[in-house]
Amino acid sequence: MADSSDNEPAAAEGDSITQTPVGDLVLEKDFDMLTALRGVLIRGLSPSALNQFLNCSLQFYFARLAKFQEAEEVEEKLGADGFGTVVHEVLENLLRPFAQEKRPLTAAELPALLQQVPDEVARAMRQEEDERHARPDEGLNHVLGQVAAQLVRRYLEGLPEQAGALPLQVSGLEEILQTEIPITLPSGDTLPLRLYGIADRLDELPDGRLRVVDYKTGLVQAHELRLQKRGEDADAATQRLLTDATPSADKVRQLWLYRFMLERSGRPAADAAIISLRNLSAGPMTAEMGFLTEDGTSFLDKGQELLTNFVHRILDPAEPIRKTDDLVRCQYCPYKGICAR
């Protein structure tokens, strides 16, 4: 999900940058830094922002506090993010009438939807052309447009083959989820943490409960969404959710927070799942979260507990802001020139 609606405060001028003997760029959490971090939490923390903090708190600082702008270049190629946007927009436009009219998508309506795919892809590509100056009819962009159309067609064509996939009752598309949670700080003060995110799709299941669906244009395997490994107890999986800076943990945290926000708003949330358009035979892949309630704690109470842990860590003055040790992540970071990676 894109978090273009992020609206955190800029970092204060007093933030101090120090250089350790091994060349690790470090920002100490002084009074001004902690004030800015509190502002981020109060104004709104998204799943991707939380994952960014856990993966590289320095990148989080550059993007969410210092507000450093990524280099803006005229892109002639669509790029991976633009490709994902096209696929999301096409699926949203195709399913919108069913959500608005509150009618289920059935197998009988698939042929008409399939006929619309080329026009919807062309419309989405034109939108990307306007925003990115990426010509949709030239070179690689033309190929990516064809791939996008193929992915969408395969998804629609595969629905009748998935048990229970049809009829599909779409309850919402690109729906903003948000909630506010009072977090008790070590000082005894209460911080009103605002969580928000945008769900690609909400499905109404036959029993009336809702499922949050997140599309991924890349390959995702079901095992990536299982944080509790064979033979491990619930505490080990919970700790992985709290601390792991891995693609698997990132995905589970995102789905966990979507489900938490939905359920906390009073809407019955049964599930949170990923649909990988490169692994369509798997259908909606659920993030197994049973370990969170294995001790008898409710899903919402456990969520409050874990979010308190995250907030305490973000505001812990003993844990400075520093760059990741994972050099692979640095290859794709827009700020790598700043921290000399």
Side-chain angles (χ1 to χ4, degrees), residues 218-296:
L219 176 64
V220 180
Q221 304 282 5
H223 68 82
E224 297 179 57
L225 304 183
R226 292 193 293 268
L227 289 187
Q228 188 168 10
K229 308 304 179 184
R230 184 175 300 177
E232 285 186 341
D233 59 17
D235 288 342
T238 302
Q239 190 63 26
R240 200 170 273 117
L241 183 69
L242 282 170
T243 61
D244 272 18
T246 64
S248 292
D250 286 353
K251 294 181 182 73
V252 176
R253 270 191 295 266
Q254 180 185 30
L255 294 179
W256 161 61
L257 287 172
Y258 283 161
R259 180 180 165 190
F260 177 83
M261 287 186 280
L262 190 63
E263 198 161 313
R264 202 168 188 280
S265 67
R267 304 167 72 183
D271 198 3
I274 283 175
I275 292 178
S276 169
L277 297 174
R278 304 278 185 177
N279 187 15
L280 290 172
S281 61
M285 293 177 285
T286 298
E288 175 52 50
M289 301 180 194
F291 62 88
L292 292 174
T293 55
E294 195 171 295
D295 61 358

Side-chain angles (χ1 to χ4, degrees), residues 257-334:
L257 287 172
Y258 283 161
R259 180 180 165 190
F260 177 83
M261 287 186 280
L262 190 63
E263 198 161 313
R264 202 168 188 280
S265 67
R267 304 167 72 183
D271 198 3
I274 283 175
I275 292 178
S276 169
L277 297 174
R278 304 278 185 177
N279 187 15
L280 290 172
S281 61
M285 293 177 285
T286 298
E288 175 52 50
M289 301 180 194
F291 62 88
L292 292 174
T293 55
E294 195 171 295
D295 61 358
T297 305
S298 74
F299 183 78
L300 288 179
D301 287 344
K302 192 67 174 184
Q304 174 103 22
E305 176 187 324
L306 297 184
L307 286 165
T308 298
N309 184 296
F310 283 124
V311 169
H312 287 184
R313 180 177 173 185
I314 291 172
L315 297 179
D316 183 1
E319 181 179 335
I321 300 293
R322 61 178 297 272
K323 59 189 175 185
T324 179
D325 294 323
D326 184 354
L327 298 182
V328 175
R329 291 186 180 276
C330 297
Q331 294 178 23
Y332 308 101
C333 178

Side-chain angles (χ1 to χ4, degrees), residues 46-65:
S46 65
S48 63
L50 177 58
N51 282 335
Q52 188 179 48
F53 177 85
L54 295 174
N55 286 307
C56 179
S57 58
L58 186 61
Q59 186 187 78
F60 174 90
Y61 170 81
F62 288 150
R64 316 279 172 171
L65 280 81

Side-chain angles (χ1 to χ4, degrees), residues 171-203:
S171 176
L173 294 165
E174 293 294 313
E175 185 161 333
I176 297 175
L177 304 177
Q178 59 183 330
T179 189
E180 187 176 292
I181 307 100
I183 301 294
T184 302
L185 302 178
S187 64
D189 295 337
T190 299
L191 182 142
L193 170 67
R194 176 178 172 259
L195 286 177
Y196 74 94
I198 301 177
D200 288 339
R201 197 175 89 199
L202 294 180
D203 296 342

Side-chain angles (χ1 to χ4, degrees), residues 49-112:
L50 177 58
N51 282 335
Q52 188 179 48
F53 177 85
L54 295 174
N55 286 307
C56 179
S57 58
L58 186 61
Q59 186 187 78
F60 174 90
Y61 170 81
F62 288 150
R64 316 279 172 171
L65 280 81
K67 297 291 188 181
F68 289 171
Q69 297 296 316
E70 299 181 17
E72 295 186 3
E73 299 178 358
V74 175
E75 299 182 17
E76 296 182 356
K77 296 180 181 179
L78 189 60
D81 55 341
F83 173 76
T85 299
V86 166
V87 173
H88 279 68
E89 287 182 358
V90 171
L91 286 169
E92 179 187 355
N93 290 336
L94 290 173
L95 295 176
R96 184 181 295 113
F98 299 92
Q100 291 176 338
E101 299 167 19
K102 301 186 184 304
R103 60 186 174 94
L105 170 63
T106 64
E109 294 176 278
L110 289 176

